[in-house]
Amino acid sequence: MSGVSSFVPTPLILTDRAIARVQLLMQEQQNVALKLRVYVTGGGCSGFQYGFDLTEATAEDDTLITRENVTLAVDPLSYQYLVGSTVDYEEGLAGARFLIQNPNATTTCGCGASFMV
């Protein structure tokens, strides 16, 4: 006998470092309405690539995840590739950047900016 089961996807997670960076950018730009938009586009050396943007605008069908007054906005097409991912921020010798730790990626490039599912 088979039954119907439900699946609740793990939402995207914002690390403390990512939150702190967005909060700092909001202060620097004196705009508490800024949101971190994360998206996926075709391209990159592994097939898809991640993109990041600071914006006030959201679409009706965006998924919005808020933690500590920081909102992450993701469009529905990108969300399917990012479910369960962690959005982080790092500073190092190569510079400063937001990055994605994506459990759905089967292959990533060396810099981590592109992936394949």
Side-chain angles (χ1 to χ4, degrees), residues 2-16:
S2 66
V4 175
S5 62
S6 63
F7 172 72
V8 178
T10 305
L12 277 75
I13 298 166
L14 280 164
T15 66
D16 291 339

Side-chain angles (χ1 to χ4, degrees), residues 37 57-64 72-80:
R37 176 167 295 284
T58 58
E60 186 176 303
D61 58 352
D62 280 345
T63 297
L64 303 176
L72 179 69
V74 185
D75 65 88
L77 182 62
S78 298
Y79 189 82
Q80 66 184 335

Side-chain angles (χ1 to χ4, degrees), residues 2-85:
S2 66
V4 175
S5 62
S6 63
F7 172 72
V8 178
T10 305
L12 277 75
I13 298 166
L14 280 164
T15 66
D16 291 339
R17 289 186 302 229
I19 290 169
R21 182 60 181 166
V22 174
Q23 287 173 337
L24 180 63
L25 293 168
M26 290 165 63
Q27 289 173 359
E28 287 176 352
Q29 296 188 25
Q30 298 179 354
N31 187 348
V32 296
L34 286 178
K35 296 162 188 62
L36 178 63
R37 176 167 295 284
V38 179
Y39 56 93
V40 173
T41 60
C45 50
S46 293
F48 295 103
Q49 60 188 358
Y50 302 113
F52 301 91
D53 191 18
L54 283 176
T55 183
E56 290 182 23
T58 58
E60 186 176 303
D61 58 352
D62 280 345
T63 297
L64 303 176
I65 299 166
T66 302
R67 182 171 163 229
E68 297 181 38
N69 296 324
V70 170
T71 300
L72 179 69
V74 185
D75 65 88
L77 182 62
S78 298
Y79 189 82
Q80 66 184 335
Y81 296 108
L82 297 171
V83 168
S85 296

Side-chain angles (χ1 to χ4, degrees), residues 99-111:
L99 63 124
I100 302 281
Q101 297 166 351
N102 188 342
N104 306 306
T106 58
T107 305
T108 60
C109 68
C111 68

